[in-house]
Amino acid sequence: MYNGPSQQFPQQPQQQPQSHPHQGQPAPSPRRGGTGRTIGITLAATIGVYALIAGGFWLVSSPGAAVAGPEFEGLPTDPCSVPNGSQLNSVSARLASAHLTPSSSRCVWHVEWSDGSQGSLNVRYRFPVDSDNEPQRRASDVENEYEERFEQLTEGEVEDYWTVEVQESRELDVGEQAVVAHVREGYEDLRGKAEVLVLADGVLIDVWASEVWDENPGRPDFTDDEDTLIAIAERAVNHLG
């Protein structure tokens, strides 16, 4: 059951409208250098605290909270509202945290998976980014990014800095293209992960289950949670409309 803090957020000072519209974009993609300053809000119990966070906007909130602004135009800014209460309760989700940047919009929950392992549930909308961390919204760029990740999730990858070991994967009838995969992924110490990747309406959607690095001896089994991940991905597609 979700037991995060309430939706009472501190009032933010009004800002003057930008003279040039920003090409819309949400959440975090720390793969390359960020541009511009953003404000992070952390709420603990009923106390609101403002802090500067490089490259993104963090907000600990309840799932229905949303933050709007021209810098996030183009992607949903309320990713925490995608799963319904039943889906969150099924994995004992708590402490929702939203992370918004011009290239992605993401929500993370602490959860307990069906096999008893501790980990996180992630819902993310995103665009690919260039070498300057600028969002790439062209359909061809988004499709190329999908194909690259699809290949990793179905064929695996072994690089000097990253490894993806595929345990199983299959395509889904969700959005325009979609795949669900169970993998072990990381650099040196590989971590268990189940991911649903979707291409829909020119946006990439990732819904994934992952384990906590230090707390799980052995390999987690996300098989019994797969249906929940797929159902959340379907809701994420509908959320775009």
Side-chain angles (χ1 to χ4, degrees):
M1 177 178 295
Y2 177 81
N3 61 0
S6 67
Q7 285 182 242
Q8 299 177 5
F9 304 107
Q11 204 73 16
Q12 298 186 47
Q14 265 192 329
Q15 296 186 1
Q16 295 299 319
Q18 304 270 339
S19 58
H20 53 70
H22 222 287
Q23 277 192 316
Q25 223 97 299
S29 232
R31 294 189 291 181
R32 301 156 184 141
T35 59
R37 295 175 301 171
T38 51
I39 297 176
I41 301 177
T42 300
L43 272 74
T46 58
I47 301 176
V49 180
Y50 290 86
L52 291 177
I53 297 177
F57 177 110
W58 273 105
L59 170 63
V60 176
S61 69
S62 62
V67 179
E71 65 270 41
F72 305 127
E73 182 186 350
L75 296 179
T77 56
D78 55 347
C80 295
S81 68
V82 171
N84 62 31
S86 175
Q87 291 161 345
L88 294 175
N89 286 339
S90 71
V91 293
S92 302
R94 61 195 185 279
L95 298 178
S97 303
H99 186 193
L100 310 179
T101 73
S103 61
S104 71
S105 170
R106 175 184 174 192
C107 191
V108 183
W109 294 260
H110 294 286
V111 303
E112 181 176 325
W113 299 111
S114 296
D115 68 350
S117 62
Q118 301 294 312
S120 65
L121 166 66
N122 296 259
V123 174
R124 179 175 64 177
Y125 297 91
R126 67 183 175 96
F127 292 115
V129 296
D130 63 15
S131 58
D132 295 320
N133 206 35
E134 292 295 331
Q136 303 295 289
R137 300 183 186 84
R138 291 181 304 181
S140 58
D141 292 325
V142 177
E143 290 167 4
N144 288 340
E145 182 83 358
Y146 175 87
E147 291 299 331
E148 180 179 325
R149 183 57 178 166
F150 176 87
E151 185 174 337
Q152 291 175 338
L153 293 175
T154 55
E155 300 180 17
E157 180 175 83
V158 179
E159 300 287 348
D160 291 339
Y161 60 92
W162 199 253
T163 298
V164 181
E165 291 181 357
V166 180
Q167 298 168 307
E168 60 176 294
S169 64
R170 72 180 191 280
E171 294 188 60
L172 300 171
D173 185 18
V174 179
E176 297 158 27
Q177 299 182 68
V179 63
V180 58
H182 296 256
V183 302
R184 298 183 68 239
E185 182 176 39
Y187 173 73
E188 295 184 345
D189 294 331
L190 304 186
R191 179 167 60 167
K193 182 177 184 181
E195 178 174 344
V196 180
L197 172 68
V198 182
L199 172 62
D201 295 339
V203 176
L204 294 172
I205 299 171
D206 307 293
V207 178
W208 74 90
S210 60
E211 64 174 313
V212 176
W213 280 108
D214 300 326
E215 296 183 11
N216 297 322
R219 299 182 180 181
D221 182 0
F222 300 121
T223 304
D224 291 338
D225 302 295
E226 183 182 283
D227 287 345
T228 298
L229 298 177
I230 294 172
I232 292 173
E234 290 171 341
R235 285 180 59 88
V237 172
N238 294 334
H239 199 65
L240 287 171

